[in-house]
């Protein structure tokens, strides 16, 4: 799957499949404030017009950090404003970060979280779509 939705300098490559309502993100380097502004511009109109996202796939080898305090605040605001509109989050990583995030983040977001090994991107998508198919 080609994640680059637009040819720009974003630190988060992303692809939003409006057919399945799955947002797939891949952080490439230190996260910037504009990354979360761009993600919001892409998903907010869908949420307003179509409803919640089926899922979010976060494909990551390790957490790249933020380039500034403003970027961290923007990230936290994005999570706060969107977590209730995402049914499932698949963390696709071989990093220990995935196991830690699966347990910690579940206390702060309403989405169901599950970690998948880096080579199981298709399994992550299947898991998200299974929830959609079951109507749960």
């Amino acid at each position: 799957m080609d994640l680059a939705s637009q040819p720009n300098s974003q630190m988060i490559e992303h692809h939003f499949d409006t057919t399945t309502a799955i947002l797939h993100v891949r952080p490439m380097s230190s996260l910037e404030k504009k990354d979360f502004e761009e993600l919001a511009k892409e998903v907010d109109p869908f949420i307003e017009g179509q409803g919640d996202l089926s899922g979010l796939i976060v494909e990551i080898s390790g957490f790249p950090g933020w380039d500034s305090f403003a970027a961290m605040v923007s990230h936290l605001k994005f999570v706060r404003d969107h977590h209730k509109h995402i049914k499932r989050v698949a963390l696709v990583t071989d990093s220990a970060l995935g196991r830690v995030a699966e347990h910690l983040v579940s206390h702060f977001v309403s989405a169901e979280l599950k970690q998948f090994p880096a080579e199981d991107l298709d399994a992550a998508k299947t898991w998200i779509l299974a929830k959609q198919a079951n109507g749960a």
Side-chain angles (χ1 to χ4, degrees):
M1 177 187 304
D2 179 21
L3 293 186
S5 289
Q6 301 101 12
N8 58 30
S9 61
Q10 288 182 312
M11 300 301 123
I12 300 177
E13 289 183 352
H14 70 279
H15 172 74
F16 182 47
D17 184 339
T18 56
T19 304
T20 60
I22 295 176
L23 175 63
H24 182 170
V25 298
R26 185 184 317 148
M28 303 305 291
S29 62
S30 296
L31 306 176
E32 297 180 2
K33 181 180 177 187
K34 70 178 180 176
D35 293 324
F36 300 100
E37 294 167 350
E38 290 299 317
L39 289 174
K41 282 182 198 174
E42 185 132 5
V43 299
D44 286 355
F46 181 89
I47 291 168
E48 290 173 19
Q50 304 293 320
D52 293 344
L53 304 184
S54 299
L56 167 65
I57 295 174
V58 180
E59 188 177 359
I60 191 167
S61 59
F63 183 66
W66 302 278
D67 78 336
S68 66
F69 181 73
M72 181 187 73
V73 170
S74 185
H75 186 182
L76 295 174
K77 280 183 64 179
F78 183 85
V79 171
R80 181 199 68 201
D81 294 345
H82 294 88
H83 79 96
K84 292 181 181 176
H85 298 287
I86 300 172
K87 296 175 185 170
R88 284 188 165 181
V89 176
L91 302 170
V92 181
T93 184
D94 287 334
S95 168
L97 166 75
R99 290 182 294 282
V100 171
E102 186 177 9
H103 297 289
L104 288 179
V105 176
S106 64
H107 297 288
F108 302 102
V109 298
S110 59
E112 185 178 352
L113 277 84
K114 186 172 180 179
Q115 191 227 343
F116 294 86
E119 68 274 3
D120 282 347
L121 183 59
D122 288 337
K125 185 175 180 181
T126 299
W127 175 71
I128 290 171
L129 293 175
K131 176 134 183 148
Q132 184 182 41
N134 292 335

